[in-house]
Amino acid sequence: MFIGHYAPALAMAAHPKAPRLGTLFVAAQLVDFGFFTLVMTGAERMRISPGLTAMNPMDLYHMPWTHSLLGSLVWAAGFALLLYFLTRHRTAAIIGAGVVLSHWFLDLLVHAPDLTLAGGPPKLGLGLWNHPAIEMPLELLITFGALGYYLASTRPVRGKGKAALAVLIVLLLAFQGFNWFAPPPTEFDMSIPVMGLLAFTLLTGAAAWLATTRTRKGVL
């Protein structure tokens, strides 16, 4: 799951008390921002195991701080506290926390068993990465279905937003296409977390730009 993680952000951005779309894009990938950062420090670890799943050779064998359910709850609570401190809006904080936590449950659908409840056994994952004919259309459907819902629930500000929307769509498709169809890595190196962090940052920037060009319907 890559761009599918943004589906909850896009859907919840239509809520009248939700944080801005760019903020929710950070929430959607917050635990992966954390994971790749911790991988670069050695606190969490991954390796390349060709054939691990049909779609993804990344063996995420040690990630208790980000991809355990308990760890995800801590990240979600921290994000909610930060949002509440900055906005004093309880609903916005709850929505942000929910989007952070959604990451773990979406990963549960696709990962080989590597997720945990609290950092130790059992390892969990339903393994849809072994079933591309199911996973690929599902990821596109939830992502662009949520984007359509966001667009239907908002309106452009003075006709603006076509460029921002086009950039976001192109980036979503380009990064997902690279994730699916680029030659898989044969061994781990630091370019993997760096590229992941760069992709998340660019998508967040595009979402933040789009949000500046749209307003929720009924809002002048």
Side-chain angles (χ1 to χ4, degrees), residues 123-137:
K123 293 290 186 76
L124 306 172
L126 299 179
L128 281 184
W129 275 336
N130 281 315
H131 305 280
I134 298 173
E135 197 284 333
M136 293 169 77

Side-chain angles (χ1 to χ4, degrees), residues 29-46 60-68 71-72 74-75 188 190 192-194 197 200:
Q29 291 286 17
L30 184 64
V31 296
D32 272 352
F33 272 112
F35 171 67
F36 282 131
T37 301
L38 291 176
V39 164
M40 294 171 73
T41 70
E44 293 195 328
R45 295 185 288 278
M46 62 178 290
L60 312 176
Y61 65 95
H62 181 72
M63 46 182 187
W65 308 112
T66 58
H67 283 72
S68 66
S72 295
V74 171
W75 285 89
F188 173 79
M190 283 298 166
I192 293 173
V194 169
L197 292 171
F200 302 153

